[in-house]
Structure formats: structure tokens, C-alpha cells
């Protein structure tokens, strides 16, 4: 018979997330644990799904703060339904599409760059002589995500 709750070690083994990370997630309010009389953490099985969601979201580049906001919208006291998860994922669809577009452009530009062997700096998309792009702000400037399309008016 399956246990109703998991220890932190069992949740770590099952999710592939270190116990220290699980404690951190709990401190941030991303997951919740009950306590035994001896003050040991006990996680409901539904928390495994939340931990999986956190891991996948982080792999996609979503910040822990954005994950926290999203998870706060899920129902307390019950396992989220398919509809709950669908609503949550719909909010991130545009951002994920932008990341996919950026990664596709990066892949294609790097293929061209590697193909040229950096012998033609005049045509290189990443070349920045004398750091002239510094006036535009910190971080990468040439491989930024494409501007999001304006929503079309309803009507």
C-alpha cells in the first residue's frame, strides 16, 4: 500500500531535486509540507507534481518568482486538475514562443557564424567594434528577442 505522505528524502529521490532545494522551495512558498510530532517534514503526494512543474519551468528559463506567482493561483487543499494546469500554461505561451524564436535565431546565426570561421567580421551579426553597443545598455544587444507583435483589434 502506498503512503499518503512523503518524507523530504523520499520527495528528493522521487523528483531528482536535492533536499536543500526542496527546503528552499518550501521557504519561498513554492511547495508546502506538514510536520510530524517530531517536527519532520511530510509532503502530500501532490507536491511531487508541483516540484516537477518547478523543475520544468526553471529549465525553460522561468524565474522562481514567476513560478511562485503561477503556483499561487492553483487551488489549495486539492490536487490541481488538467484545467488548472491548462490555465496556468496558457499564461506562459507567449513568453515560451518568444524564447523558441530567440533560440531558433541564435541557432541559425551561430551556424552561419561557425560556417564563416569568423573570417569576415564586416558581415558578422555579433561583431561589436570598440564596444559601441555599450551605449544601448547592459547585456547582449544584437540577439535580443524580436519585439512582440501588437494584438490585433477585436472586431
Amino acid at each position: 500500500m502506498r503512503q499518503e505522505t512523503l518524507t523530504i528524502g523520499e520527495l528528493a529521490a522521487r523528483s531528482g531535486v536535492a533536499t536543500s532545494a526542496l527546503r528552499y522551495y518550501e521557504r519561498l512558498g513554492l511547495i508546502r509540507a506538514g510536520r510530524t510530532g517530531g517536527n519532520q517534514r511530510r509532503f502530500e503526494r501532490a507536491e511531487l507534481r508541483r516540484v516537477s512543474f518547478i523543475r520544468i519551468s526553471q529549465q525553460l528559463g522561468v524565474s522562481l518568482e514567476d513560478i511562485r506567482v503561477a503556483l499561487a493561483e492553483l487551488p489549495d487543499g486539492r490536487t490541481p486538475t488538467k484545467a488548472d494546469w491548462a490555465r496556468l500554461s496558457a499564461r506562459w505561451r507567449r513568453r515560451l514562443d518568444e524564447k523558441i524564436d530567440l533560440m531558433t535565431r541564435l541557432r541559425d546565426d551561430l551556424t552561419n557564424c561557425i560556417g564563416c570561421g569568423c573570417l569576415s567580421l564586416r558581415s558578422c551579426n555579433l561583431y561589436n567594434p570598440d564596444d559601441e553597443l555599450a551605449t544601448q545598455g547592459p547585456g547582449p544587444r544584437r540577439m535580443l528577442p524580436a519585439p512582440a507583435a501588437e494584438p490585433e483589434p477585436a472586431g
Side-chain angles (χ1 to χ4, degrees):
M1 192 164 112
R2 206 166 65 163
Q3 290 176 239
E4 292 300 314
T5 61
L6 301 169
T7 66
I8 194 167
E10 290 167 336
L11 183 60
R14 190 69 186 80
S15 66
V17 175
T19 57
S20 58
L22 294 172
R23 287 185 201 96
Y24 183 64
Y25 294 166
E26 183 185 12
R27 203 168 40 253
L28 294 178
L30 299 172
I31 59 175
R32 291 177 300 273
R35 300 289 177 151
T36 67
N39 203 29
Q40 294 178 339
R41 290 174 175 83
R42 290 296 185 266
F43 294 90
E44 297 293 326
R45 287 197 161 277
E47 295 302 304
L48 180 58
R49 190 170 295 142
R50 291 173 74 99
V51 172
S52 297
F53 175 79
I54 293 165
R55 286 193 71 196
I56 291 166
S57 299
Q58 284 186 297
Q59 289 173 359
L60 295 172
V62 179
S63 72
L64 286 176
E65 175 58 20
D66 286 347
I67 294 168
R68 187 194 61 73
V69 168
L71 288 174
E73 294 179 10
L74 293 177
D76 279 336
R78 72 170 169 84
T79 302
T81 64
K82 184 177 179 179
D84 293 326
W85 289 114
R87 231 181 0 269
L88 191 152
S89 65
R91 290 183 48 219
W92 289 354
R93 184 173 182 85
R94 181 174 161 202
R95 182 183 319 166
L96 293 174
D97 287 343
E98 289 170 356
K99 285 184 180 283
I100 291 168
D101 178 58
L102 175 62
M103 292 176 74
T104 300
R105 288 187 302 125
L106 180 62
R107 178 202 62 207
D108 293 347
D109 285 352
L110 283 177
T111 298
N112 292 337
C113 186
I114 292 167
C116 80
C118 294
L119 298 176
S120 177
L121 293 178
R122 274 180 253 144
S123 64
C124 179
N125 287 332
L126 302 177
Y127 184 57
N128 181 20
D130 301 319
D131 197 22
E132 57 195 38
L133 295 176
T135 60
Q136 295 180 19
R141 308 310 308 163
R142 296 238 168 108
M143 291 300 292
L144 295 175
E150 292 295 319
E152 293 189 23

